[in-house]
Amino acid sequence: MRSPESAKPVPPAISIVVPCFNEEAVLFNTFSRLSRLLERQCAAGKIAERSNIVLVDDGSRDRTWEIIDAWVRIGEPVIGVKLSRNCGHQNALLAGLASAKGDAVITIDADLQDDETAIERMIDAFQEGSEVVYGVRSKRDSDTWFKRSTAHAFYKLMNALGVQTIADHADYRLLSQRAIRYLGQFGEANMFLRGVVPLLGLKSAVVHYERRPRLAGESKYPLVKMIEFALNGITSFSVKPLRLITALGFSVCFACLALAGWALAVKLMSPDAVPGWASTILPIYFLGGVQLFCIGVLGEYTGKIYVESKKRPRYFVERVARQARGDRPGTGSGVPAHRRMRSRPHPLGVRLQQ
C-alpha cells in the first residue's frame, strides 16, 4: 500500500537567472538574498534541493566574473555563464535561460529593485498550473515623473500598435521548461522578450510587487538605451508605422491639392494678388520633413531586415562554471550541494561571505 509520504508531489527544481553587467557593487547582497530565499523554500518543501542561481556575466569589466567563479568553486548553488562580450540585457537573459535546467526558471535583474520575495508567490502560481508568471509593479512612485510618464506612454503605444504586452512588467517573470522550449523556436536576432512571451499562449498568472530603490551602482539603462529598446520593441512586432506612412502620404497629397486649388482661386479672383513666399516655402519644408520622417521609419525596418538576414548568433558563451558531476546531489555524497564547500583553493584567497 502506498504510504502518505510517497503520495506527496515531488517539489520542482527552480533556477533563478540573473544577468550581470558590472554588478560587483551589488552582487554579494543579491546572492545573499536569493540564496536565503532558496533555502527557505527548500526547507518548506516547496522546491527541490537541486535548485540554483544562474549568474550570467554579460561582458563585465569589473570583478563580477571573478566573484561568480569563486562561488562555484566553494560549492555554492551557482552556475556561472560568461559571455565573450557585452551582448545586451535580452541576450544575456536568453543565455541564462538556455543554461538553466530547473523545472521552472525565474529571471530577475541583479540590482534586486524587483522584490525577490515575490518569487515565493511565483512558485505557488507555478505549482497551481501556470507556466508563465509575470512580475508586475503595483505602483511606480519610486520613478521620476519623466520615466513614469514615458513608461505609460510606451505601453499605451504598444497596445495601440497591436502588440500584446503586460503593463508595468519588465523582465521579472517565471517560465516553465515548456515555455522556454517554445521561446527557443523564435529565431529573430533582436529578441524583444516582453512582446514574445505573451505570444506563447500558455496558462499565465500575475504577481504584483513594489519596486525598491537600487542599493548601489548605477542603472545600465540610460535614456539612449531606453529609446533604442522601445524602438526595437515597436519595429519587431508591428507594421502599423508603415501603414501610418501611407496614410500620411495620402493626407499630404490631399493638402497639397487643396493648397493648389486655393492658390488658383486667389489668382483668378484677385488679379492684383502677388504670390507670397509662404505658398512656395512652406510646402517645400513641410514635404521635406515628411519625406525625411518616412525615410527614417523605412530605414528602421530595412535595417531590421538586414540584421535578421545575416542570421548571426545572438551571443557567444566563453565559459560555463558549474559544480563537478560528483558534487551534485544524488551522486553519492548524500549532502545537498549548497551545504558543502569544495576543497579546491579559493581564487580570491578567502571564502566569500554572504
Side-chain angles (χ1 to χ4, degrees):
M1 184 175 178
R2 179 185 264 184
S3 65
E5 286 281 308
S6 62
K8 290 183 179 179
V10 179
I14 301 296
S15 293
I16 303 178
V17 172
V18 186
C20 307
F21 178 61
N22 295 336
E23 298 290 0
E24 177 186 355
V26 299
L27 201 53
F28 285 91
N29 184 71
T30 299
F31 175 75
S32 176
R33 290 185 180 183
L34 293 179
S35 60
R36 286 201 299 265
L37 184 143
L38 289 180
E39 288 178 4
R40 289 197 305 269
Q41 291 291 291
C42 185
K46 289 189 174 183
I47 63 174
E49 290 182 343
R50 59 188 178 91
S51 300
N52 54 27
I53 303 169
V54 181
L55 299 173
V56 184
D57 179 15
D58 187 21
S60 298
R61 294 183 294 272
D62 59 5
R63 296 169 65 248
T64 295
W65 176 252
E66 192 177 356
I67 296 169
I68 295 171
D69 188 52
W71 280 327
V72 175
R73 289 175 179 271
I74 63 176
E76 298 290 358
V78 168
I79 295 176
V81 180
K82 180 176 175 59
L83 303 186
S84 61
R85 62 179 181 84
N86 179 242
C87 299
H89 182 265
Q90 300 290 282
N91 288 329
L93 285 176
L94 291 171
L97 292 174
S99 302
K101 304 304 179 185
D103 301 311
V105 181
I106 297 166
T107 58
I108 188 171
D109 289 344
D111 54 22
L112 286 194
Q113 285 186 272
D114 299 324
D115 184 6
E116 77 281 358
T117 60
I119 291 177
E120 300 177 3
R121 286 175 283 148
M122 289 183 176
I123 295 172
D124 291 339
F126 172 71
Q127 291 178 326
E128 292 169 2
S130 297
E131 297 197 59
V132 178
V133 184
Y134 300 101
V136 176
R137 296 175 63 172
S138 57
K139 55 185 179 180
R140 305 186 70 103
D141 294 348
S142 60
D143 289 347
T144 62
W145 174 87
F146 176 78
K147 188 172 183 180
R148 183 166 58 250
S149 301
T150 53
H152 288 156
F154 170 72
Y155 288 114
K156 289 181 180 179
L157 177 61
M158 293 292 282
N159 290 329
L161 294 175
V163 184
Q164 184 181 357
T165 58
I166 307 298
D168 294 327
H169 163 69
D171 289 299
Y172 187 22
R173 66 177 71 89
L174 177 147
L175 298 172
S176 69
Q177 275 297 332
R178 181 163 69 158
I180 294 173
R181 289 196 302 272
Y182 285 4
L183 197 61
Q185 297 181 37
F186 288 81
E188 57 256 46
N190 296 290
M191 183 78 79
F192 183 69
L193 289 172
R194 300 183 196 183
V196 169
V197 172
L199 297 179
L200 301 181
L202 298 173
K203 183 179 179 182
S204 62
V206 170
V207 168
H208 291 91
Y209 68 95
E210 292 189 15
R211 190 170 172 86
R212 300 178 295 211
R214 186 180 176 91
L215 291 177
E218 57 185 21
S219 173
K220 305 306 184 296
Y221 260 91
L223 179 61
V224 174
K225 279 196 173 183
M226 289 174 62
I227 294 174
E228 182 182 346
F229 183 74
L231 288 175
N232 180 41
I234 292 171
T235 56
S236 293
F237 281 87
S238 179
V239 296
K240 282 191 175 181
L242 297 176
R243 294 171 182 166
L244 289 175
I245 287 177
T246 304
L248 182 61
F250 278 117
S251 301
V252 171
C253 290
F254 179 79
C256 288
L257 289 174
L259 183 61
W262 172 80
L264 180 61
V266 169
K267 180 67 176 176
L268 294 176
M269 297 175 63
S270 179
D272 296 330
V274 178
W277 62 270
S279 61
T280 303
I281 299 300
L282 291 181
I284 291 175
Y285 276 91
F286 178 70
L287 288 175
V290 170
Q291 288 173 346
L292 288 175
F293 172 75
C294 295
I295 290 172
V297 175
L298 289 171
E300 187 71 25
Y301 279 94
T302 304
K304 270 284 195 304
I305 296 171
Y306 172 68
V307 171
E308 296 292 344
S309 66
K310 291 185 290 188
K311 298 187 182 301
R312 290 181 177 175
R314 299 189 187 103
Y315 55 84
F316 289 103
V317 177
E318 179 180 330
R319 183 182 170 193
V320 176
R322 64 174 77 235
Q323 296 172 7
R325 185 177 297 275
D327 287 338
R328 293 177 186 170
T331 55
S333 65
V335 182
H338 61 280
R339 303 289 185 186
R340 298 194 306 277
M341 184 194 302
R342 299 179 59 171
S343 59
R344 186 178 298 178
H346 195 285
L348 301 184
V350 295
R351 177 177 171 85
L352 298 177
Q353 300 297 324
Q354 295 182 17

